Amino acid sequence: MTIQHIAEKLGLSVSTVSRALNGSYGVHPRTIARVQEAAQSLGYVPNLGAKQLVTRKSNLVGVFMPEMEKESIREFDDIFATLRKALRLYQKEILIFSVPFTEYMPNSLTEWVRMRNLEGCVFMPPFAKNHPLIKEAVKLQVPSVNLGSAVGPRCSLVASDDREGGKMAAAYLIGQGHRRIGYITGPPDVSICEERYKGFSEIFLSETGTLHDSAQLEYGDFGGESGAVAVLKLLARAPELTAICCANDLMAMGAVMELARKGISVPQDISVMGYDGAFFTAYNNPPLTTVRHQYERMGTLAAEMLLEVMNGGAGRTLKLVPELICRESVNANQISTN
């Protein structure tokens, strides 16, 4: 079985079939899908060794995920399925690299790219522009897509718009009648924390006419235990709070757990809101109101933008507005705030 048989079956030229089977940039995704389906039905099996010798391409993309020392939500899991599916449409296979987030060895990326002949790289959050791995990628000019905050001549960025997400969270809580809102943010050196709180603070000021009180701000480390500790600190300083907004879901779930331990009911006594939209938040008690990233779209767009850069395109930035998921952890505040 040869590509000539596939071309005859579909009424396409041999060159088009060849480019579709090679995942060549510029072939319409529907044509690629048709060719791949026909190849499978006809039992066509390419000689990958010969193919790589001719093209000098590995068709390998490195996907780099962080190893976190502390408890964290693996956004990689939500993005990976659509990323893999989109890359395989272009005949690209994935190699997964698990990288220590705080103990990255310099020049590791350069070795991985050269030893594995990687054609491109995808960097999962929270790898951001100041991380040594990303700095090395930009300097190396390996075609890449970052889902954190970096962009360069050969590095595109696709990310969730965290400032808009912070605005959504504040607008929803204020719309439910809350004015005395505590905020649990993440580590101060993480850009997404800064962006989310900035968005929250902007809406808080515009809707209430006052700045968000720094006494109603507490720091965590993204882990659930830190949310539990932070909520008690907030309530000790400001027992009048009617709602707690958290910069991620784990801290929110930790806060809900600790409040329950203290006999404080959510949402009857105080409302709690998370951020990220992890799938398991629907099974929290109570189900968690949260801001969810467009994970599926981010995976598909990351693959498409990587192919752009791999085929000579310049790095660019695309931010997606997240969505609000309203569940039972937030109640309307019936107490007058005047």
Side-chain angles (χ1 to χ4, degrees):
M1 185 60 57
T2 68
I3 60 174
Q4 180 71 42
H5 295 97
I6 300 172
E8 291 173 356
K9 177 180 175 65
L10 298 178
L12 298 173
S13 67
V14 171
S15 62
T16 298
V17 171
S18 176
R19 287 188 296 120
L21 289 172
N22 289 328
S24 297
Y25 188 70
V27 180
H28 197 283
R30 285 199 295 269
T31 302
I32 294 177
R34 285 181 62 215
V35 170
Q36 290 179 356
E37 183 179 349
Q40 185 175 9
S41 67
L42 293 172
Y44 172 77
V45 179
N47 186 325
L48 294 179
K51 180 177 170 183
Q52 289 183 15
L53 285 173
V54 172
T55 63
R56 296 188 179 181
K57 291 182 179 181
S58 67
N59 288 323
L60 292 176
V61 171
V63 177
F64 297 81
M65 55 178 290
E67 292 176 10
M68 306 299 289
E69 294 178 354
K70 301 190 179 201
E71 184 180 43
S72 64
I73 295 174
R74 288 164 46 98
E75 293 178 316
F76 174 86
D77 295 336
D78 294 288
I79 297 171
F80 181 74
T82 53
L83 173 67
R84 180 194 61 81
K85 184 177 180 180
L87 284 174
R88 291 193 71 180
L89 187 63
Y90 290 101
Q91 299 293 295
K92 305 301 179 186
E93 297 295 336
I94 286 176
L95 285 181
I96 298 175
F97 295 82
S98 185
V99 182
F101 187 74
T102 58
E103 297 180 359
Y104 173 73
M105 295 292 293
N107 298 317
S108 294
L109 177 65
T110 302
E111 292 181 13
W112 292 326
V113 169
R114 291 175 178 170
M115 288 177 62
R116 298 291 188 173
N117 192 25
L118 299 180
E119 294 185 17
C121 300
V122 178
F123 301 103
M124 291 291 169
F127 289 124
K129 60 185 177 182
N130 292 324
H131 194 279
L133 173 68
I134 304 302
K135 288 183 176 180
E136 188 175 332
V138 173
K139 182 179 180 181
L140 188 61
Q141 292 199 14
V142 58
S144 57
V145 170
N146 175 233
L147 286 91
S149 61
V151 64
R154 303 200 72 192
C155 177
S156 283
L157 166 66
V158 56
S160 192
D161 194 326
D162 288 299
R163 187 169 297 201
E164 284 301 314
K167 290 179 180 180
M168 284 181 180
Y172 180 68
L173 290 173
I174 293 170
Q176 295 297 304
H178 298 280
R179 298 294 185 275
R180 298 185 290 270
I181 307 171
Y183 193 97
I184 302 177
T185 188
D189 56 342
V190 178
S191 61
I192 59 173
C193 301
E194 181 181 353
E195 288 298 300
R196 291 172 191 180
Y197 185 59
K198 278 182 179 179
F200 175 90
S201 300
E202 286 175 20
I203 293 299
F204 190 89
L205 175 59
S206 66
E207 293 295 323
T208 67
T210 59
L211 293 170
H212 187 249
D213 189 347
S214 60
Q216 297 175 357
L217 173 68
E218 190 56 58
Y219 288 88
D221 62 10
F222 283 147
E225 184 60 32
S226 73
V229 171
V231 74
L232 294 184
K233 289 181 178 179
L234 283 174
L235 290 178
R237 292 198 302 265
E240 73 281 2
L241 295 177
T242 64
I244 304 290
C245 187
C246 302
N248 87 328
D249 291 329
L250 275 182
M251 292 193 296
M253 294 170 73
V256 171
M257 176 191 68
E258 190 62 30
L259 290 169
R261 285 176 179 166
K262 301 298 181 183
I264 301 171
S265 178
V266 175
Q268 288 77 13
D269 298 326
I270 189 168
S271 293
V272 177
M273 184 170 187
Y275 199 110
D276 285 334
F279 76 91
F280 49 76
T281 55
Y283 310 106
N284 190 54
N285 186 21
L288 192 66
T289 296
T290 185
V291 176
R292 185 183 188 275
H293 307 296
Q294 295 189 49
Y295 290 115
E296 296 81 8
R297 246 195 111 202
M298 288 174 67
T300 300
L301 287 170
E304 292 175 356
M305 293 170 75
L306 179 62
L307 264 292
E308 285 181 5
V309 180
M310 287 170 60
N311 286 276
R316 62 187 179 98
T317 298
L318 180 61
K319 289 195 173 183
L320 303 177
V321 177
E323 59 181 332
L324 180 68
I325 306 294
C326 301
R327 299 196 183 108
E328 289 91 334
S329 68
V330 173
N331 255 3
N333 180 32
Q334 305 297 332
I335 302 174
S336 173
T337 58
N338 295 327

